Amino acid sequence: MTKFGSWVVKHRIIILIVGILLLIPSAIGMIRTRVNYDILSYLPKDIETMKGQDILMDDFGKGAFSMVMIDGMTDKQVAETKKKIEKVDHVADVVWYDTLADITLPMEVLPDNIYEFFNSEDSTLMAVFFDDTTSADGTMDAVEEIKSVAGKQCFVSGLSAVITDTKNLSEKETVMYVVIAVLLTSLILAITMDSFLVPLFFMLSIGFAILYNLGSNYVLGEISFITKALSAVLQLGVTMDYSIFLWHSYKEKQEEYGGNKEKAMAEAISSTFVSVAGSSVTTIAGFLAMCFMSFTLGLDLGIVMAKGVICGVLCCVTILPSFILIFDKAISKTSHKVVLPSFTKTSNFVVKHSAVFAVAFLVLLIPALYGYTHYDIYYKLDSTLPKYLDSIVANDKLSEEYNMNCTHMLLVDADMKPKDAIAMSDKMQNVDGVSFVLGLDSLIGPTIPQEIIPEELTSIMKSNNWQLILVGSEYAVASDELNQQVEDLNKIAKQYDKNEMLIGEGPATKDLIDITDHDFKVVSIVSIAVIFCIIAVVLKSITLPVILVSVIEIAIFINMGIPFYTNTELPFVASIVIGTIQLGATVDYAILMTTRYKAERIAGRAKREAVEIALRTSIKSILVSGLGFFAATFGVGVYSAIDMISSLCTLMSRGAIISMLTVIFILPSMFMIFDKIICKTTIGMGKCSSKKA
């Protein structure tokens, strides 16, 4: 690798020019990469709720559905507003009173359930179907235009409206995430390192890597808004270690080669690439473990972040050295004394009281495990958004005025007999929490002759193969009551049609709960197993992987257990990704100290001396890295108004600190206690256990 380092040093100007030029296609790719704001679209395509969505599109030409409330208008004004909404691009159909009967007829002639569906004391309600999927650009544009043409008296509810508001808020905030992360991380680096200018080049180098990563997402077709929001911040926090390692190696090599900066950098690149390539494998493995999720948001985030780590490594050994050498004079002028102490007393104290910290480990384990297994999770997507957004206001209004929190869509055989359809609807109407059941046959009922039903309504509710029935629910999405309701409705529907499909936000969210619960277990097992194997190969040991993974896992238990004791609900994504990210991103701290401990024992140091040296020499790097990761995520957690992003960043920032403290105080205790076993089960350390100081 020395030849590669020399090549980089020799061609540093060309490398920097090429690196800058590559930012152009990267920026274009980033801009042209579509962002998906619908979390439910990442459910497996082979489940009934997803198949039903495809049928709705193929047979009915409808993919999304919203309830639109209009306040303070006369029937004539509402009819005019309906015509305006029907002309909006991507609006397929609008169902209101005049869809059933001529507007000149009094509404009171309609059956009570139909009248109550369309009216409350202060408003009227219409159902709007869109010709594209829930999160399609056309659907989101249509939602915005409906609000525009109908004015302030119009309230658009439903998942598409929530996704539209999520998009608008996320686009407004995402740039600030990066700004906050860069500023806080630069501040930490400026204080903890020996130059005020070096952090700037760290940020530029990592910024290049982030842009390359985001630009290359174009080949994926689209990424989720969570991936877009978190990838830059995560990549900054995770890959910053590599830049710190290169800088420290460069400074050491300068002393070794008598100030020959070019030779020192060539050697630093070589040693950094070897070390970083090894440690980055654990981080990449942690992210790729998420690809094993059947909920494909994990695949989306896992691939992007694994790709980001690779970009970070490559930029660390090419772009960053070029910056450092080209701007060497400016860096020298901004050098300052290192603020961090030597930590000799700290390492002595920790090793001397290793038994105390081991007991603390055991004491913390019980409440941490209990909290980890009992914290509350929420799945309702609009719970992640501020209450002042239009979609949240509309959903609340729909609940208050119409006692409607969710609307299911039931697909049954188009040839089902009217008598059976009405009987099925009547049974469903009696299910707890069902506010209405509206299908073509239930609309017709016994009082309205089929001949007077407009063709427009028939085409909306029926296709050649399927008929559509709307089922309103009083229960909130993701609640236990609604999940039970979905089961009850499916049981009733299957009595009349074995191939029925109940779709919509409620049934899809129920599937989300079942699938992600399974995914959480799979991802945890896979990430631990893969990282365990990598550590075992790198350290050539059986016991060291057990110790390292156990120490990081206790940090994860503490981090994820805290919300239970603070009575904080976490988004469902947190339980899946945080453990994997924290394990993959912070196990490097443990590997750093362990490698030094192993080297000192092999070199002939006694147990206590080897552990003290390992801790003393590692603690600065661990502090800088941990505080850097904390800085990159903490500010975003405080700033973001999207609770899903805020919660994830808060967990990651807290996890970085907990992992850092756990490695500094608990890991040395494990070395002291299990030294004999480690020596006997690690290749090259067989004779270490008998060595004395």
Side-chain angles (χ1 to χ4, degrees):
M1 290 305 297
T2 304
K3 288 184 178 179
F4 173 75
S6 300
W7 183 87
V8 171
V9 169
K10 182 179 179 181
H11 299 91
R12 55 186 179 272
I13 295 177
I14 295 174
I15 288 172
L16 195 55
I17 292 172
V18 171
I20 293 171
L21 291 175
L22 284 174
L23 294 177
I24 299 172
S26 297
I28 294 172
M30 180 181 69
I31 293 168
R32 297 184 64 182
T33 300
R34 187 180 182 277
V35 180
N36 186 351
Y37 294 87
D38 183 7
I39 297 296
L40 295 178
S41 68
Y42 290 96
L43 286 167
K45 301 303 179 186
D46 57 350
I47 61 176
E48 279 196 0
T49 46
M50 294 297 102
K51 289 180 180 178
Q53 293 285 358
D54 293 337
I55 290 172
L56 198 64
M57 275 296 302
D58 297 338
D59 283 41
F60 290 88
K62 304 176 182 67
F65 166 79
S66 285
M67 289 294 188
V68 177
M69 287 164 287
I70 298 178
D71 275 353
M73 287 189 184
T74 64
D75 289 349
K76 185 177 180 181
Q77 289 172 323
V78 174
E80 291 173 357
T81 302
K82 181 195 168 197
K83 289 179 181 178
K84 292 179 182 178
I85 293 174
E86 286 174 328
K87 292 179 182 178
V88 171
D89 286 343
H90 299 290
V91 169
D93 298 297
V94 182
V95 178
W96 183 58
Y97 163 52
D98 67 348
T99 311
L100 306 178
D102 191 279
I103 194 171
T104 58
L105 293 175
M107 275 198 185
E108 288 75 9
V109 303
L110 294 173
D112 289 344
N113 65 321
I114 306 299
Y115 180 81
E116 290 170 3
F117 174 79
F118 285 113
N119 292 279
S120 73
E121 291 183 7
D122 303 312
S123 65
T124 189
L125 186 68
M126 58 181 70
V128 177
F129 295 91
F130 302 94
D131 65 8
D132 213 334
T133 57
T134 303
S135 60
D137 294 335
T139 302
M140 289 189 282
D141 291 342
V143 168
E144 294 284 18
E145 193 171 346
I146 288 171
K147 290 190 286 186
S148 174
V149 299
K152 293 181 179 180
Q153 293 167 282
C154 173
F155 299 86
V156 184
S157 67
L159 187 56
S160 291
V162 170
I163 289 170
T164 303
D165 281 344
T166 302
K167 174 187 176 183
N168 295 336
L169 187 58
S170 179
E171 287 181 344
K172 184 175 74 173
E173 288 191 352
T174 300
V175 174
M176 283 304 299
Y177 297 162
V178 178
V179 172
I180 291 169
V182 167
L183 289 176
L184 292 180
T185 306
S186 298
L187 179 62
I188 293 291
L189 292 176
I191 293 171
T192 56
M193 298 190 69
D194 57 356
S195 171
F196 290 116
L197 192 57
V198 163
L200 170 63
F201 296 118
F202 281 11
M203 294 300 104
L204 286 173
S205 171
I206 296 171
F208 277 44
I210 290 171
L211 274 172
Y212 297 156
N213 185 31
L214 294 178
S216 63
N217 289 335
Y218 180 72
V219 302
L220 301 177
E222 67 176 24
I223 58 172
S224 75
F225 81 95
I226 294 177
T227 301
K228 181 185 177 183
L230 293 180
S231 58
V233 174
L234 262 180
Q235 191 174 336
L236 171 61
V238 168
T239 62
M240 187 177 60
D241 295 357
Y242 312 149
S243 301
I244 295 169
F245 191 96
L246 176 83
W247 176 251
H248 287 164
S249 180
Y250 172 57
K251 299 290 284 186
E252 290 174 7
K253 297 297 181 183
Q254 280 190 66
E255 295 179 7
E256 186 177 332
Y257 292 106
N260 187 330
K261 294 182 178 180
E262 292 190 358
K263 192 170 183 180
M265 182 58 81
E267 290 295 329
I269 292 170
S270 176
S271 62
T272 298
F273 190 82
V274 173
S275 300
V276 165
S279 64
S280 65
V281 169
T282 57
T283 307
I284 292 171
F287 287 126
L288 290 180
M290 290 189 287
C291 297
F292 287 86
M293 293 167 57
S294 52
F295 181 59
T296 54
L297 176 65
L299 177 69
D300 185 77
L301 184 58
I303 288 177
V304 172
M305 284 313 307
K307 185 158 53 71
V309 173
I310 294 171
C311 291
V313 171
L314 294 176
C315 286
C316 174
V317 294
T318 55
I319 302 295
L320 181 58
S322 301
F323 270 126
I324 291 173
L325 290 176
I326 291 171
F327 295 96
D328 175 70
K329 290 183 179 178
I331 292 172
S332 298
K333 290 179 180 179
T334 60
S335 296
H336 62 84
K337 187 178 179 181
V338 179
V339 176
L340 295 177
S342 63
F343 294 106
T344 302
K345 291 182 179 180
T346 304
S347 59
N348 291 339
F349 176 83
V350 172
V351 175
K352 183 178 179 180
H353 297 88
S354 58
V356 175
F357 289 110
V359 171
F361 173 84
L362 294 174
V363 170
L364 282 173
L365 184 60
I366 297 171
L369 272 173
Y370 187 83
Y372 176 73
T373 54
H374 287 82
Y375 62 86
D376 292 325
I377 299 172
Y378 69 80
Y379 293 85
K380 192 177 180 185
L381 302 182
D382 60 9
S383 299
T384 70
L385 300 175
K387 297 299 181 184
Y388 60 79
L389 293 179
D390 291 345
S391 60
I392 309 303
V393 172
N395 286 344
D396 290 342
K397 189 176 178 65
L398 186 67
S399 175
E400 290 169 8
E401 296 191 16
Y402 292 88
N403 200 21
M404 193 187 305
N405 279 295
C406 179
T407 303
H408 314 310
M409 288 177 280
L410 177 65
L411 294 171
V412 294
D413 192 340
D415 296 327
M416 181 181 288
K417 295 178 181 179
K419 181 179 70 173
D420 291 339
I422 292 172
M424 180 182 68
S425 298
D426 289 342
K427 285 185 180 180
M428 289 183 169
Q429 188 71 59
N430 293 325
V431 171
D432 289 345
V434 170
S435 54
F436 66 84
V437 180
L438 293 179
L440 189 59
D441 293 306
S442 61
L443 283 171
I444 296 171
T447 57
I448 301 178
Q450 189 167 355
E451 305 83 59
I452 70 168
I453 298 299
E455 179 63 29
E456 178 190 358
L457 180 61
T458 304
S459 64
I460 292 172
M461 305 300 288
K462 202 168 187 177
S463 72
N464 292 330
N465 301 310
W466 300 89
Q467 58 178 303
L468 178 64
I469 298 173
L470 301 180
V471 182
S473 176
E474 300 171 5
Y475 298 141
V477 171
S479 64
D480 293 338
E481 294 84 0
L482 185 126
N483 292 337
Q484 183 59 53
Q485 183 187 83
V486 168
E487 289 185 14
D488 294 340
L489 291 172
N490 271 317
K491 285 179 183 177
I492 293 170
K494 287 195 182 299
Q495 293 173 9
Y496 297 89
D497 181 4
K498 292 181 179 179
N499 297 316
E500 60 82 29
M501 293 182 182
L502 190 67
I503 63 177
E505 184 183 1
T509 304
K510 182 179 181 299
D511 287 337
L512 177 69
I513 294 170
D514 296 335
I515 288 168
T516 53
D517 182 58
H518 172 264
D519 280 347
F520 170 64
K521 297 169 186 174
V522 170
V523 171
S524 296
I525 293 169
V526 170
S527 61
I528 290 172
V530 171
I531 290 177
F532 180 95
C533 293
I534 292 171
I535 296 173
V537 171
V538 171
L539 298 179
K540 300 176 182 178
S541 174
I542 297 299
T543 50
L544 284 174
V546 176
I547 292 171
L548 267 62
V549 171
S550 297
V551 169
I552 299 299
E553 283 298 315
I554 186 64
I556 293 170
F557 294 158
I558 295 170
N559 187 27
M560 298 295 288
I562 289 174
F564 169 76
Y565 296 104
T566 58
N567 199 29
T568 303
E569 272 194 326
L570 297 178
F572 71 93
V573 176
S575 61
I576 302 171
V577 303
I578 288 299
T580 302
I581 291 172
Q582 191 173 340
L583 175 61
T586 62
V587 75
D588 290 349
Y589 310 161
I591 293 176
L592 176 68
M593 187 188 298
T594 306
T595 304
R596 187 58 182 265
Y597 155 73
K598 181 182 172 184
E600 294 299 331
R601 288 294 275 142
I602 292 174
R605 305 285 185 185
K607 174 178 70 174
R608 177 165 178 167
E609 187 181 7
V611 176
E612 284 185 3
I613 292 172
L615 178 57
R616 184 175 68 250
T617 55
S618 305
I619 198 167
K620 279 187 183 180
S621 297
I622 293 171
L623 279 172
V624 175
S625 179
L627 290 174
F629 198 178
F630 169 80
T633 50
F634 174 75
V636 177
V638 173
Y639 170 78
S640 180
I642 303 174
D643 189 66
M644 190 173 290
I645 303 299
S646 176
S647 293
L648 289 173
C649 285
T650 299
L651 283 166
M652 284 188 283
S653 62
R654 188 171 65 213
I657 298 298
I658 293 171
S659 292
M660 179 185 76
L661 295 175
T662 305
V663 170
I664 291 173
F665 292 104
I666 304 298
L667 186 58
S669 302
M670 299 297 103
F671 293 154
M672 292 294 291
I673 294 169
F674 298 106
D675 179 77
K676 284 186 179 181
I677 300 174
I678 292 170
C679 291
K680 290 178 180 179
T681 57
T682 304
I683 296 175
M685 294 182 71
K687 298 179 181 180
C688 293
S689 59
S690 61
K691 292 177 181 178
K692 304 295 181 183

